[in-house]
Structure formats: C-alpha cells, structure tokens
Amino acid sequence: MINRREFLRNGFRGLLLGSLAVMSGTLILRNYGGEEASCDFDFLCKGCDKLKACRLPEGVKFKESK
Amino acid sequence: MKKSLAFISLLIFFVGMEFAAFSQQQRFPKPEFESGYAQPVTSMPVPRDGMFALLDVLVLIAVLSLITWFILKKRSRTGVVAVSIFSILYFGFFREGCVCSVGSVQNVVLALFNPGYHIPLSALAFFVIPLAYTLFFGRTFCAGVCPLGAVQDVFLMRPVTLKKWLQKALGLIPFIYLGLSVLYAATATDFIICRYDPFVGIFRFNATFFMFAIGAAFLLISIFIARPYCRFFCPYGVLLNLVSRVSKNHLTITPSNCIQCKLCENSCPLDAINKPVVVKQMEDKRSATRRFILLSLIIPALMIVGGWTGANFHENLAKVNSKVRLADEMLHFDSKTMKESLEIEGFRTSGKPVEQLYLEAAEIVKQFYYGGWILGAFIGLVIGLALSGLSRYQYREDYSPDKGACVSCARCLKYCPVEK
Ligand code: SF4
Ligand code: SF4
C-alpha cells in the first residue's frame, strides 16, 4: 500500500510528465504548422542549412547578394 | 585491448569530423573597415547540418541511459567518471558547449512567449530529455552528462564543507539567475545564461580574458568546493533539483538496509546526505497554528515587497535590451555637442521613423514592468519558502541522499559496507 506522501509524489510526477509532453507537442506542432517563418540562428545566414528554403527578408536579401 | 581500440576509433572519428567542420570555415581574414566598424563576436558556433543535431540528441539519450545504468544497476563510480570524460570531450570540446541543456531553458522560454520563434528541435530535446530522466532516476544527467557539471567534477580533489547557512544563502542565487534569464528570454532581450557561461569560452578556445578568468576561477574553486557553478549558479539545476525530489527510482546509498554504521556520513562533497532524525515530540496544536499563521503572512508579504522592488527596477533591467538602449540614446542625443554613435548612425540609415522606435521601446519597458513584478514576487516566494524550510521537521530513519541536491555522482556508494 502506498502512503500519502508517495501518492502525492506519483501524482506530481504524472503532472510534470504530462506538462512536458504537452509543451513539447505544442512547440513541435507550431514549428511545422504555422505559416510564419522565423530564424534559428540570429540571422547568420552564412552557413545556415535552411537558407535555400528561407523566406525571411534577411535570408532573401542574403541569397540575392550572393 | 578492445577498450583502447574503441577509444582510438572514437578519437579518429572526432578529429575527422573536426576537419570537415574546419574545411568549411572562413579562411580569409575578415575585412577591416575604415569607419571604425568592429566585427561582431559570433555568439554561437556556425549552425550544423540537421543530421548533426539529430546525432547530438541520439548521443544524449545513449549517454544518459548508460550513466543511469552505471549508477543505478552497476553502482559504479568508475563508470560515471568514464562517461564524464566522454561528455567533456563530446558535448564540451567537440560540440563547443552548444547545444546545452542549461542554455536551452532560454530557447524554451522564448518559444513559449514569442509564437513567431521556431525553437530548434535539438534545443527542445536537450531541455526535455534530462528532465524526463530526472523524473524517473534522479539527477543522473548532472552526474556526468552535462559537460559543465562534469568538468567541475573532475577537478574536485580536496573537498571542504561549507557552513550550512552559507550554502543556504548562496543556494538562492540560482533562483535569481533563473528568474532573470527567463525575464530576458521572454522579452527577447538576451540569452544571459549563454553570454555568461563560464566554461563555454574554454571549450571553444575563444574566451575573452574576462570570461576566461571567470571560468578558470570556477575550475580552481572546484578543486576545494564541489561543483560551485552547479550548486550556486546553474538555473537548469534549479529545475532538476525540484523535479528530482519526486523521482521514482533515485539512487540509494545502501543497496539493502541501512545498518547505521555512519561510514557514509561525511562522504558527500556536496553535503547532500540526509542524516537520520530522531522522533520528535508532537508540537502542541497552539504553537503549530501560530507558526502556520506567521508563515502564511510572511510569504505573501515577502512576495509583495519583492514584486514592488522588482517593478521599481524595471527601467534598469530594461536597459539591457538593445532597442530600449538605442531609444534612450536617441532621446538624449544632442547633435551639437555629441558625436553620433554607430548604433544611431545605423538606425538613421535604416530609414525607420524614430517615433516607431520609441513606441516599440515603450512596449518593451512595459513588459519589463510586469516582468519586474513577477520576478520580484518569485524571489520573495523563494526566500519565504527557504525560511519556512528552516522550521520544517521531517522524520528520517536512515542515511539517504537529499534527492534534490544529490547529483548522483556515486561517490558515497563505495563507503557503504552492506552487500546486496
Ligand atoms: S547543475 Fe547545471 S551545470 Fe551542474 S551538472 Fe546539473 S545541469 Fe549541469
Ligand atoms: S551520489 Fe552520494 S556523494 Fe554523490 S552527490 Fe549524491 S549523496 Fe553526494
């Protein structure tokens, strides 16, 4: 039989795990779902492996200047 | 023989990959402009191929699983040391300390507060995976997977124990640091954890003198005081500490029943072993009620005072933001007596109306006002809880690791004479 403290711990653990899963899911979905684009690398376009597909003004400008 | 072969192949693999990265780097000196323009210092390594990011996550999972097995199943300190050395080499020197779980806190906060920011998946994985492992197995990540913790751990030679009150007082710093880094990340101002990471410059061999001095000081202190950065600064450690308290299968000092031989009593360099506590006489109802009322008044009072103080400092806090700084500079700029700074010159050539800059800066300052309230209240809450912790009584029969503070380094295990 589990005591009250153990019960609370289990509940809290489940809650934390659930929150981590929900947060990760939301952020991942947003990465793939949204129309808007954003930069991962502080606009260091040189060497960025997403440059080819980048639609951000900085990326477009960098591609044009090459 | 097999071991050395594996080690050598691993080394060749690393060196080979470093050459690949080296061959892609800029080989010509950066142009020097006569305008006095200084090339900005790159704050992160050149982005790597998506495959490398995936490799990092796979290595993290593999190394975390391995060290957890060493700690919980094999109860082997040697295994922990071996994994630590690997982590220093791979996550530290080879990956140049980036991506790292400690800094990933900021990516997650920025993504939560700014829907336009798409968080790199490796940063998200480095934030979530160690926390998930900690929920089940305690801080095995800190034991030897985090390169920052590992590099301090290998330096520890003559541990000294700090006074309890000093540990408690210094232990408040990571909470403040966490609060500040969340505030600056949420307002998209700066990633202060990365900027002031004392070891990353050493891993990259490119530290400024100031940061190198701080890193070296931390390593020197680590010889005597176990993991000073982990215990008294690391913001991610705060989260791991809280999560580890509810961990399911945390390491135990004895593999069986504690026989109270006291051999492990002073074995922990982090002072993270809880000693048995004798059964206390039940506190009488009146004094317990009085204590409860006092605490329930003190904690909200501290939160209000903290919040008010934080809100009062919001303008100073906001000055770290480059837009706010520029707006401030523009506002106080007098073309007759002052020379235009490069920032102002840059802004003018952008053609953006100055009113728009002021509006944007005012919006950021407002965010800092609310952020200052929240940060201050959070610090007040932490201080209040720390105070209430001093008067908390917890009955304990055996010597056991303090689940929050213990970094599962496995040092104490060999002190226990009890066999399985
Ligand atoms: S406390 Fe922070 S720096 Fe130390 S090992 Fe853990 S995550 Fe790394
Ligand atoms: S494993 Fe033992 S020695 Fe290491 S931090 Fe935990 S209690 Fe201290």
Side-chain angles (χ1 to χ4, degrees), chain B residues 203-226:
Chain B
F203 288 145
R204 290 181 199 166
F205 300 112
N206 72 349
T208 56
F209 177 74
F210 176 68
M211 284 319 289
F212 177 78
I214 294 195
F218 266 111
L219 292 181
L220 280 178
I221 295 172
S222 303
I223 298 176
F224 305 103
I225 297 173

Side-chain angles (χ1 to χ4, degrees), chain A residues 5 9 12-13 16-17 20 23-24 27-28 30-32 36-42 44 46-49, chain B residues 47-50 108 111-112 114-119 121 124 127-128 131 135-136 245-246 248 394 403:
Chain A
R5 184 166 284 161
R9 262 198 199 134
F12 200 57
R13 195 180 313 122
L16 281 174
L17 209 58
L20 281 178
M23 186 196 73
S24 311
L27 294 182
I28 292 172
R30 208 168 69 190
N31 269 11
Y32 290 109
E36 59 227 289
S38 75
C39 179
D40 293 346
F41 293 114
D42 242 358
L44 297 172
K46 184 174 185 288
C48 175
D49 62 328
Chain B
R48 288 161 88 103
D49 200 85
V108 170
L112 289 175
N114 297 276
Y117 172 69
H118 288 188
I119 184 169
L121 290 186
L124 181 63
F127 177 77
V128 171
L131 283 173
L135 263 180
F136 290 97
R245 286 165 199 241
V246 292
K248 198 171 168 65
Q394 200 178 357
K403 281 183 165 188

Side-chain angles (χ1 to χ4, degrees), chain B residues 101-124:
Chain B
S101 300
V102 184
S104 70
V105 176
Q106 304 163 114
N107 297 79
V108 170
V109 172
L110 183 63
L112 289 175
F113 282 84
N114 297 276
Y117 172 69
H118 288 188
I119 184 169
L121 290 186
S122 54
L124 181 63

Side-chain angles (χ1 to χ4, degrees), chain B residues 251 267-270 272-273 401 406-412:
Chain B
L251 145 156
S267 62
C268 177
L270 282 88
I273 293 181
C406 166
V407 293
S408 298
C409 72
R411 280 190 179 85
C412 56

Side-chain angles (χ1 to χ4, degrees), chain B residues 251-272:
Chain B
L251 145 156
T252 51
I253 300 174
T254 169
S256 182
N257 291 329
C258 177
I259 53 170
Q260 313 263 338
C261 63
K262 299 188 180 176
L263 288 175
C264 68
E265 195 171 49
N266 298 316
S267 62
C268 177
L270 282 88
D271 206 8

